[in-house]
């Protein structure tokens, strides 16, 4: 189908597509248009990666805007939201306005009302519905990217309930659901009352296979020689062979440590293929990586990148991941060793994909278990870059003939598992029940049942009454904790407290834990508050490494008076270990707020810089919620909570809170300024410029920016020389004693590795 034949889209779109080299639609895209996607018809598109799903979404959204409507693009990850925002920004030249919203869960996002296309995570959309964003009712088209994630036990229920609510609010809403791998796409299409495009077409060939011995064995029955030298691992042989044909390789492994170790080894392979220009460009990328954080992880990543390899996992800072992804897309980095986080929709295709590890540790299974077919196919779909690669190859590695046969049966020839709703899990149910009542979607048991009947779970379950049983149990929990009450007429309504909990986007159990803790402590310490929020279901705790139980048991007793609530008995092993894990998490937050250097924290707790940022962000959000709850209940701890929140937000001790709040200052610069005698925002606003310049180590641009943000009348540093008496000693290091190194175990189970 020629792009000029697509109906109902803006008149500028065909010319724009032609300028991008798109003269005609791919077959799956043409099928979507024939199914009415540009004319307001709902659609489930299950088509391979690189086959043009994003253009299907754009056609639907821009056609909706062309009709005078508004479109919403839902993504599972914040990184994807930024990526899509950058993609859609190209259309702003035609008058299209695009907005992105991912954080601040207690906002109604009023500013988004003026936008034509809104990009947001499913959690953010859910929070906007809870907070009564009026423009939600004006939506004409909603795109759900990576819709197979309704199967995810953490993110899935939110996406599922959000789609059900949006359809309930807008009966004529067009829903376009996209995925590369859905085993039961027809079921999702039935649930969404949508047409189905289920295609295996790709713009370039994807060959799937297994490397065994000295050969590649492909799904079409062919074989090709790929010899492994006597000193080589199979993965290194594949990378070497791919580089010989000017291709890139994406290697999937099962843990952070394995990703880092594999990247270090494969860097010796990639470094041999770099020319002078590439080495110079990679040196610049490595320097940028080292600037992100002063940690061993940052240094290790930079060392690998200088040689043309990299690792990628959730323990990296977001800036680390972005630098790696950009360098890989620019073909500077030749090989990336990643955990499955990189398979979740981020645009990082490569010539070859190697699924090195097809088993990973599962706490539930108590050992290693195979990855799902869906996950492996998501990884394999990254192979082949249209316009850059003549083909794509996705390979598993076998160490025996029996394993070769098993991998073909288990993954290469297998269909992905059907997507199954996880809504009936108790944490999801209690959270979404409260939100459904608080936002007015239901006001009785009967209307709750009616709403839940619109979910995917209701269409899939064969257990009679299962949904209602879980619902009734969770309703009882909400009543007991005063989040929901029944009126004299028998109606259900959220209490004032329930409305606050829903608006703050808290799990009701987190709210109950925080409320109990705040009531038990009139003047809680910072550690006590960090421990309190670390005990909630909304905080993913650090686990106890080998030998740490005794250490944290002693600390729990030594600091018992600081910890709100009653500690469980040591004989209640599971509950007591959870209490200690929360204490370990709280100690990390306390170290951060005491200005302990980042590299010491990563070493002490076995985490990466991304984990620190994740814990800090979560604690900041939960403490903000705790402050709101304290005010709602008129508790005297609100001031202590606010101070603990600010300290963890800025990573500073109490005396630096005011100074660190100036944009551009941060924890280390605040300490240098304080050491130079500038202790408050007001003092910074009126400070001698020579003192500020000296405290900031002679960096004129930085000093000008800081003074401008502080409100200084004349921030210019022209002609200013640093005051030698104000030059700081090395105050970057904190005053903590050397960290306890503990065991070498890392925190590979910190959320999605």
């Amino acid at each position: 189908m020629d792009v000029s034949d697509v109906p109902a889209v803006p008149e500028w779109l065909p010319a724009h597509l032609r300028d991008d080299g798109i003269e005609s639609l791919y077959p799956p895209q043409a099928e979507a248009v024939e199914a009415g996607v540009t004319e307001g018809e709902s659609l489930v598109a299950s088509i391979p990666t690189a086959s043009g799903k994003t253009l299907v979404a754009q056609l639907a959204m821009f056609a909706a805007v062309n009709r005078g409507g508004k479109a919403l693009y839902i993504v599972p990850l914040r990184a994807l939201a930024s990526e899509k925002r950058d993609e859609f920004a190209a259309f702003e030249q035609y008058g299209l306005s695009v907005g992105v919203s991912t954080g601040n869960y207690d906002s109604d996002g009023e500013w988004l009302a003026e936008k034509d296309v809104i990009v947001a995570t499913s959690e953010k959309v859910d929070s906007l519905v809870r907070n009564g964003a009026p423009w939600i009712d004006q939506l004409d088209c909603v795109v759900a990217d990576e819709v197979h994630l309704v199967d995810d036990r953490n993110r899935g229920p939110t996406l599922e309930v959000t789609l059900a609510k949006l359809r309930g609010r807008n009966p004529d809403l067009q829903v376009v659901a996209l995925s590369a791998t859905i085993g039961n796409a027809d079921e999702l299409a039935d649930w969404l009352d949508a047409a189905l495009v289920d295609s295996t077409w790709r713009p370039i060939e994807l060959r799937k296979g297994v490397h065994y011995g000295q050969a590649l064995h492909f799904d079409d029955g062919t074989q090709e020689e790929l010899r492994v030298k006597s000193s080589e691992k199979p993965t290194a042989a594949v990378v070497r062979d791919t580089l010989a044909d000017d291709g890139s390789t994406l290697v999937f492994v099962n843990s952070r440590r394995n990703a880092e170790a594999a990247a270090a080894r494969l860097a010796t392979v990639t470094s041999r293929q770099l020319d002078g220009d590439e080495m110079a460009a990679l040196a610049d990328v490595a320097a940028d990586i080292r600037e992100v954080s002063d940690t061993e992880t940052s240094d290790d990543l930079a060392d690998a990148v200088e040689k043309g390899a990299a690792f990628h996992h959730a323990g990296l800072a977001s800036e680390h991941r972005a630098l790696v992804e950009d360098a890989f897309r620019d073909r500077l980095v030749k090989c990336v060793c990643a955990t499955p986080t990189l398979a979740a929709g981020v645009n990082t295709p490569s010539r070859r994909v190697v699924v090195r590890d097809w088993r990973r540790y599962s706490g539930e299974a108590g050992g290693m278990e195979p990855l799902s077919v869906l996950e492996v196919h998501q990884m394999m779909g990254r192979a082949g870059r249209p316009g850059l690669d003549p083909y794509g190859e996705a390979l598993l590695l076998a160490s025996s003939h029996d394993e070769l046969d098993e991998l073909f049966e288990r993954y290469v020839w297998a269909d992905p598992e059907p997507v199954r709703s996880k809504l009936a899990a108790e944490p999801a149910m209690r959270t979404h029940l409260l939100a459904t009542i608080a936002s007015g979607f239901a006001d009785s048991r009967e209307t709750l049942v009616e709403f839940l009947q619109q979910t995917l779970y209701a269409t899939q379950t064969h257990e009679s009454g299962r949904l209602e049983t879980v619902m009734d149990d969770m309703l009882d929990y909400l009543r007991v904790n005063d989040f929901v009450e029944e009126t004299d007429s028998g109606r259900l309504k959220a209490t004032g407290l329930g409305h606050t909990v829903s608006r703050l986007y808290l799990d009701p159990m987190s709210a109950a834990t925080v409320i109990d803790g705040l009531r038990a402590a009139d003047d809680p310490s910072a550690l006590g508050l960090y421990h309190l929020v670390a005990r909630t279901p909304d905080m993913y705790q650090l686990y106890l490494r080998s030998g740490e139980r005794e250490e944290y048991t002693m600390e729990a007793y030594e600091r018992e008076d600081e910890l709100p609530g009653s500690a469980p008995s040591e004989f209640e092993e599971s509950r007591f270990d959870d209490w200690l894990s929360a204490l370990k998490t709280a100690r990390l937050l306390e170290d951060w707020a005491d200005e302990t250097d980042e590299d010491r924290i990563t070493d002490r707790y076995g985490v990466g810089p991304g984990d620190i940022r994740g814990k800090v962000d979560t604690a900041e959000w939960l403490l903000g919620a705790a402050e709101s709850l304290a005010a709602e209940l008129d508790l005297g701890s609100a001031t202590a909570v606010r101070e603990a929140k600010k300290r963890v937000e800025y990573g500073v001790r109490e005396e630096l809170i005011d100074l660190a709040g100036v944009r551009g200052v941060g924890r280390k610069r605040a300490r240098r300024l304080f050491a130079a005698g500038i202790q408050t925002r007001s003092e910074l606003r009126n400070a001698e410029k020579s003192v500020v310049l000296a405290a900031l180590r002679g960096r004129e641009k930085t000093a000008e920016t800081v003074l401008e943000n502080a409100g200084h009348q004349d921030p210019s540093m022209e002609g200013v020389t640093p005051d030698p008496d104000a030059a700081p000693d090395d105050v970057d290091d904190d005053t903590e004693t050397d960290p306890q190194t503990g065991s070498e175990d890392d925190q590979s189970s910190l959320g999605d590795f």
Side-chain angles (χ1 to χ4, degrees), residues 23 58 89 128 132 147 195 218 220 247 299 302 327 513 545 703 717 720:
E23 297 285 342
Q58 289 172 347
L128 289 166
V147 74
F218 290 106
D220 60 4
D299 287 338
T513 300
R545 297 182 294 188
M717 285 290 153
V720 177

Side-chain angles (χ1 to χ4, degrees), residues 477-697:
Y477 177 86
L478 296 174
R479 287 192 191 98
V480 166
N481 285 280
D482 296 324
F483 299 139
V484 167
E485 63 185 6
E486 223 169 291
T487 66
D488 293 339
S489 59
R491 300 284 98 182
L492 289 173
K493 72 170 190 176
T495 62
L497 184 59
H499 276 289
T500 299
V501 171
S502 180
R503 176 178 58 79
L504 293 170
Y505 209 71
L506 285 175
D507 181 329
M509 184 174 283
S510 293
T513 300
V514 167
I515 290 168
D516 288 346
L518 292 179
R519 283 173 169 160
D522 292 331
D523 187 22
S525 69
L527 177 77
L529 290 166
Y530 301 151
H531 185 256
L532 178 58
V533 298
R535 280 157 38 197
T536 68
D538 281 310
M539 174 72 82
Y540 199 96
Q541 299 172 350
L542 300 176
Y543 66 80
L544 295 176
R545 297 182 294 188
S546 175
E548 287 187 334
R549 194 176 195 272
E550 182 178 352
E551 173 192 345
Y552 282 101
T553 297
M554 289 179 61
E555 181 147 10
Y557 287 128
E558 288 170 2
R559 305 187 69 173
E560 183 177 8
D561 291 345
E562 293 185 63
L563 308 182
S566 301
S569 165
E570 284 189 62
F571 299 105
E572 299 177 81
E573 192 166 319
S574 177
R575 289 185 62 224
F576 190 68
D577 281 353
D578 286 345
W579 184 268
L580 297 182
S581 293
L583 178 56
K584 181 178 178 181
T585 308
R587 282 286 288 115
L588 181 151
L589 295 169
E590 184 182 50
D591 279 353
W592 173 256
D594 278 344
E595 302 174 45
T596 304
D597 274 359
E598 200 172 5
D599 61 338
R600 290 192 177 185
I601 297 176
T602 58
D603 185 40
R604 179 177 293 173
Y605 298 98
V607 298
D611 299 315
I612 297 174
R613 190 71 255 166
K615 291 287 175 287
V616 166
D617 287 347
T618 303
E620 183 186 340
W621 160 53
L622 290 171
L623 287 165
E627 184 182 352
S628 295
L629 291 171
E632 173 84 23
L633 298 170
D634 198 24
L635 300 176
S637 51
T639 301
V641 175
R642 188 181 309 115
E643 182 177 293
K645 172 180 174 292
K646 288 295 184 186
R647 286 189 59 199
V648 83
E649 177 184 356
Y650 301 137
V652 296
R653 298 186 177 109
E654 182 181 351
E655 68 269 18
L656 293 189
I657 289 176
D658 186 40
L659 203 53
V662 176
R663 189 159 53 92
V665 172
R667 65 200 306 246
K668 290 190 175 181
R669 289 172 185 164
R671 182 53 65 188
R672 293 188 199 120
L673 289 165
F674 192 90
I678 301 169
Q679 301 186 359
T680 65
R681 180 189 298 257
S682 176
E683 290 178 8
L684 179 59
R685 186 183 304 120
N686 300 293
E688 289 291 335
K689 292 192 287 185
S690 60
V691 173
V692 174
L693 186 59
L696 299 181
R697 296 186 167 178

